[in-house]
Amino acid sequence: MSLRIDIVTLFPEIFFGPLNSSIVGRAREKNLVEINAINLRDFTHDRHQTVDDVPYGGGPGMLMKAGVLSEAVLSLKRPDTMVILTGPRGKKFDQKMARELAGKTHLVIICGHYEGVDERVRQLLVDREVSIGDYILTSGNLAAMVMTDAVVRLLPGALGDDASGEDESFESGLLEYPQYTRPPEFNGLKVPDVLLSGDHEKIAKWRRAEAMRITLAERPDLIE
Protein backbone atom coordinates (compact mmCIF):
# COMPACT_ATOMS: atom_id res chain seq x y z
CA MET A 1 0.00 0.00 0.00
CA SER A 2 1.40 3.41 -0.97
CA LEU A 3 1.75 6.38 1.35
CA ARG A 4 -0.50 9.42 0.96
CA ILE A 5 0.62 12.80 2.28
CA ASP A 6 -1.85 15.71 2.39
CA ILE A 7 -0.26 19.06 3.22
CA VAL A 8 -2.67 21.75 4.46
CA THR A 9 -1.18 25.12 3.59
CA LEU A 10 -1.93 28.71 2.64
CA PHE A 11 0.60 28.50 -0.21
CA PRO A 12 0.07 25.26 -2.15
CA GLU A 13 1.88 26.60 -5.21
CA ILE A 14 5.31 26.52 -3.55
CA PHE A 15 5.24 22.74 -3.21
CA PHE A 16 5.04 21.96 -6.93
CA GLY A 17 8.74 22.36 -7.75
CA PRO A 18 10.57 20.72 -4.82
CA LEU A 19 8.21 17.75 -4.52
CA ASN A 20 8.15 17.00 -8.25
CA SER A 21 11.91 16.60 -8.59
CA SER A 22 14.66 14.09 -7.85
CA ILE A 23 13.90 11.13 -5.56
CA VAL A 24 10.50 12.43 -4.43
CA GLY A 25 9.42 13.10 -8.02
CA ARG A 26 10.46 9.61 -9.12
CA ALA A 27 8.67 8.06 -6.15
CA ARG A 28 5.50 9.87 -7.20
CA GLU A 29 5.90 8.65 -10.77
CA LYS A 30 6.22 5.07 -9.49
CA ASN A 31 3.07 5.56 -7.36
CA LEU A 32 4.98 4.88 -4.16
CA VAL A 33 3.55 8.06 -2.67
CA GLU A 34 0.69 10.46 -3.38
CA ILE A 35 1.34 14.05 -2.29
CA ASN A 36 -1.36 16.72 -2.28
CA ALA A 37 -1.05 20.40 -1.34
CA ILE A 38 -4.43 21.45 0.08
CA ASN A 39 -5.31 25.15 0.02
CA LEU A 40 -6.69 26.06 3.45
CA ARG A 41 -8.59 29.01 2.00
CA ASP A 42 -10.82 26.58 0.10
CA PHE A 43 -12.48 25.79 3.44
CA THR A 44 -13.45 29.36 4.33
CA HIS A 45 -16.98 30.69 3.96
CA ASP A 46 -16.56 34.46 3.71
CA ARG A 47 -15.70 36.56 0.70
CA HIS A 48 -12.31 37.52 2.16
CA GLN A 49 -11.38 33.84 2.73
CA THR A 50 -10.34 34.61 6.30
CA VAL A 51 -8.18 31.97 7.98
CA ASP A 52 -6.85 33.94 10.98
CA ASP A 53 -8.00 36.27 13.75
CA VAL A 54 -6.59 38.29 16.67
CA PRO A 55 -5.82 36.34 19.87
CA TYR A 56 -8.07 36.64 22.91
CA GLY A 57 -6.26 38.52 25.68
CA GLY A 58 -4.29 40.62 23.23
CA GLY A 59 -0.78 40.23 21.94
CA PRO A 60 1.01 40.60 18.63
CA GLY A 61 0.21 38.72 15.47
CA MET A 62 -2.67 36.57 14.34
CA LEU A 63 -3.76 33.01 15.04
CA MET A 64 -5.02 30.46 12.56
CA LYS A 65 -8.68 29.76 13.30
CA ALA A 66 -9.84 26.43 14.68
CA GLY A 67 -12.98 26.22 12.53
CA VAL A 68 -11.36 26.44 9.12
CA LEU A 69 -8.52 24.10 10.10
CA SER A 70 -10.98 21.62 11.55
CA GLU A 71 -13.04 21.57 8.36
CA ALA A 72 -9.96 21.05 6.21
CA VAL A 73 -8.47 18.25 8.32
CA LEU A 74 -11.76 16.39 8.84
CA SER A 75 -12.39 16.42 5.08
CA LEU A 76 -9.12 14.50 4.66
CA LYS A 77 -9.06 12.29 7.73
CA ARG A 78 -9.37 8.50 7.49
CA PRO A 79 -9.17 5.81 10.18
CA ASP A 80 -5.45 5.35 9.41
CA THR A 81 -4.56 9.07 9.40
CA MET A 82 -1.83 10.67 11.50
CA VAL A 83 -2.26 14.44 11.76
CA ILE A 84 0.96 16.42 12.21
CA LEU A 85 1.28 20.12 13.07
CA THR A 86 4.53 21.92 12.29
CA GLY A 87 5.55 24.18 15.15
CA PRO A 88 8.31 25.08 17.63
CA ARG A 89 6.60 23.27 20.51
CA GLY A 90 6.91 19.95 18.73
CA LYS A 91 9.28 17.03 19.14
CA LYS A 92 12.48 17.47 17.14
CA PHE A 93 12.28 15.73 13.76
CA ASP A 94 15.04 13.19 13.21
CA GLN A 95 15.84 10.08 11.19
CA LYS A 96 14.13 7.80 13.68
CA MET A 97 10.89 9.76 13.36
CA ALA A 98 11.23 9.84 9.57
CA ARG A 99 11.46 6.05 9.52
CA GLU A 100 8.42 5.78 11.80
CA LEU A 101 6.37 8.08 9.56
CA ALA A 102 7.47 6.17 6.46
CA GLY A 103 5.64 3.19 7.94
CA LYS A 104 2.31 5.04 7.99
CA THR A 105 -0.26 4.98 5.19
CA HIS A 106 -1.72 8.50 5.50
CA LEU A 107 -0.18 11.69 6.86
CA VAL A 108 -1.91 15.06 7.08
CA ILE A 109 0.59 17.85 7.72
CA ILE A 110 -0.75 21.21 8.89
CA CYS A 111 1.65 24.02 8.01
CA GLY A 112 1.66 26.47 10.90
CA HIS A 113 1.64 30.18 10.06
CA TYR A 114 1.35 33.62 11.69
CA GLU A 115 1.75 33.38 15.49
CA GLY A 116 0.49 29.80 15.50
CA VAL A 117 -2.87 28.07 15.78
CA ASP A 118 -5.82 28.18 18.14
CA GLU A 119 -4.94 25.79 20.98
CA ARG A 120 -8.11 23.80 20.34
CA VAL A 121 -6.58 22.64 17.05
CA ARG A 122 -3.91 20.81 19.05
CA GLN A 123 -6.46 19.40 21.46
CA LEU A 124 -8.98 18.18 18.90
CA LEU A 125 -7.12 17.44 15.69
CA VAL A 126 -3.38 16.94 16.10
CA ASP A 127 -1.72 13.62 16.85
CA ARG A 128 1.80 15.01 16.93
CA GLU A 129 3.47 18.42 16.76
CA VAL A 130 6.87 18.37 15.06
CA SER A 131 9.72 20.88 14.86
CA ILE A 132 12.62 20.62 12.41
CA GLY A 133 14.93 22.78 14.55
CA ASP A 134 15.34 25.51 17.11
CA TYR A 135 14.86 28.48 14.81
CA ILE A 136 11.93 30.46 13.43
CA LEU A 137 10.63 30.10 9.87
CA THR A 138 8.06 32.30 8.15
CA SER A 139 5.70 29.33 8.03
CA GLY A 140 5.62 25.56 8.30
CA ASN A 141 5.81 25.05 4.53
CA LEU A 142 9.54 24.44 4.42
CA ALA A 143 9.26 22.17 7.45
CA ALA A 144 6.59 20.14 5.65
CA MET A 145 8.85 19.82 2.60
CA VAL A 146 11.79 18.69 4.74
CA MET A 147 9.71 16.03 6.49
CA THR A 148 8.15 14.85 3.24
CA ASP A 149 11.54 14.50 1.53
CA ALA A 150 13.06 12.61 4.47
CA VAL A 151 10.07 10.26 4.72
CA VAL A 152 9.60 9.53 1.01
CA ARG A 153 13.22 8.52 0.41
CA LEU A 154 12.76 5.79 3.03
CA LEU A 155 9.88 4.15 1.17
CA PRO A 156 10.81 0.79 -0.38
CA GLY A 157 11.70 1.38 -4.01
CA ALA A 158 12.22 5.14 -3.70
CA LEU A 159 16.01 4.88 -3.92
CA GLY A 160 17.77 3.13 -6.77
CA ASP A 161 19.23 0.73 -4.20
CA ASP A 162 17.26 0.39 -0.96
CA ALA A 163 20.45 -0.63 0.85
CA SER A 164 21.97 2.80 0.17
CA GLY A 165 19.53 4.32 2.65
CA GLU A 166 20.81 2.05 5.40
CA ASP A 167 24.38 3.33 5.24
CA GLU A 168 23.88 7.05 5.69
CA SER A 169 24.35 9.58 8.45
CA PHE A 170 22.08 9.06 11.48
CA GLU A 171 20.94 5.55 10.45
CA SER A 172 23.58 3.97 12.70
CA GLY A 173 23.53 6.79 15.25
CA LEU A 174 26.74 8.19 13.75
CA LEU A 175 27.58 10.67 11.02
CA GLU A 176 28.69 9.14 7.75
CA TYR A 177 32.33 8.23 7.11
CA PRO A 178 34.32 10.02 4.34
CA GLN A 179 33.76 8.74 0.80
CA TYR A 180 35.88 9.02 -2.34
CA THR A 181 35.62 8.29 -6.06
CA ARG A 182 38.02 8.49 -9.02
CA PRO A 183 40.66 9.78 -9.51
CA PRO A 184 42.80 8.22 -6.74
CA GLU A 185 44.69 11.52 -6.34
CA PHE A 186 43.30 15.05 -6.69
CA ASN A 187 45.24 18.27 -6.07
CA GLY A 188 47.78 16.38 -4.00
CA LEU A 189 45.18 14.58 -1.84
CA LYS A 190 45.10 10.80 -2.10
CA VAL A 191 42.34 8.31 -1.42
CA PRO A 192 43.21 6.38 1.80
CA ASP A 193 45.10 3.20 0.94
CA VAL A 194 42.68 0.99 2.85
CA LEU A 195 39.88 1.86 0.39
CA LEU A 196 42.05 0.66 -2.50
CA SER A 197 43.09 -2.54 -0.74
CA GLY A 198 40.09 -4.68 -1.64
CA ASP A 199 40.02 -5.97 1.96
CA HIS A 200 36.35 -5.50 2.86
CA GLU A 201 36.84 -6.30 6.54
CA LYS A 202 39.53 -3.65 6.91
CA ILE A 203 37.42 -1.18 4.93
CA ALA A 204 34.42 -1.77 7.21
CA LYS A 205 36.58 -1.21 10.32
CA TRP A 206 38.09 1.97 8.83
CA ARG A 207 34.67 3.33 7.96
CA ARG A 208 33.34 2.62 11.45
CA ALA A 209 36.37 4.30 13.06
CA GLU A 210 36.08 7.33 10.77
CA ALA A 211 32.35 7.65 11.44
CA MET A 212 33.08 7.61 15.18
CA ARG A 213 35.89 10.18 14.81
CA ILE A 214 33.74 12.58 12.79
CA THR A 215 30.75 12.21 15.09
CA LEU A 216 32.87 12.86 18.18
CA ALA A 217 34.29 15.98 16.55
CA GLU A 218 31.14 17.39 14.98
CA ARG A 219 28.14 15.96 16.87
CA PRO A 220 29.21 14.41 20.21
CA ASP A 221 25.60 14.68 21.37
CA LEU A 222 24.74 11.76 19.07
CA ILE A 223 26.98 9.36 20.96
CA GLU A 224 25.47 7.85 24.08
Side-chain angles (χ1 to χ4, degrees), residues 6-189:
D6 291 320
I7 302 170
V8 180
T9 174
L10 292 174
F11 302 98
E13 67 278 1
I14 71 173
F15 289 88
F16 296 145
L19 299 184
N20 280 327
S21 305
S22 189
I23 291 171
V24 178
R26 291 195 295 272
R28 298 179 76 175
E29 291 174 359
K30 292 191 282 187
N31 295 318
L32 301 176
V33 62
E34 176 187 351
I35 303 173
N36 304 300
I38 311 299
N39 191 338
L40 182 60
R41 296 192 190 277
D42 290 343
F43 298 88
T44 58
H45 300 284
D46 65 297
R47 64 188 181 93
H48 298 294
Q49 295 187 306
T50 305
V51 298
D52 61 324
D53 209 336
V54 295
Y56 282 122
M62 307 286 279
L63 291 177
M64 297 177 76
K65 300 175 69 172
V68 64
L69 279 170
S70 178
E71 189 168 333
V73 170
L74 292 179
S75 74
L76 300 167
K77 197 167 183 180
R78 312 183 315 204
D80 60 336
T81 300
M82 172 178 277
V83 179
I84 296 170
L85 171 67
T86 64
R89 281 169 44 175
K91 183 177 180 181
K92 187 79 68 71
F93 184 74
D94 58 15
Q95 191 70 4
K96 180 179 179 182
M97 188 186 297
R99 191 163 290 282
E100 176 194 350
L101 297 181
K104 304 296 183 181
T105 53
H106 186 211
L107 302 175
V108 171
I109 304 176
I110 303 171
C111 297
H113 200 65
Y114 307 120
E115 289 298 311
V117 301
D118 187 302
E119 185 64 23
R120 291 165 292 189
V121 172
R122 291 186 176 89
Q123 296 173 335
L124 298 173
L125 300 172
V126 174
D127 297 307
R128 179 178 297 179
E129 185 167 358
V130 178
S131 168
I132 63 167
D134 296 336
Y135 44 85
I136 304 300
L137 296 171
T138 301
S139 70
N141 294 296
L142 292 176
M145 291 184 203
V146 167
M147 288 189 285
T148 298
D149 184 279
V151 168
V152 170
R153 67 192 316 280
L154 293 174
L155 298 176
L159 300 178
D161 178 1
D162 287 340
S164 64
E166 300 171 2
D167 199 25
E168 296 182 314
S169 295
F170 307 112
E171 285 294 341
S172 66
L174 301 174
L175 298 179
E176 193 172 19
Y177 48 80
Q179 298 208 64
Y180 301 84
T181 187
R182 288 186 283 264
E185 182 174 347
F186 177 72
N187 283 2
L189 298 177

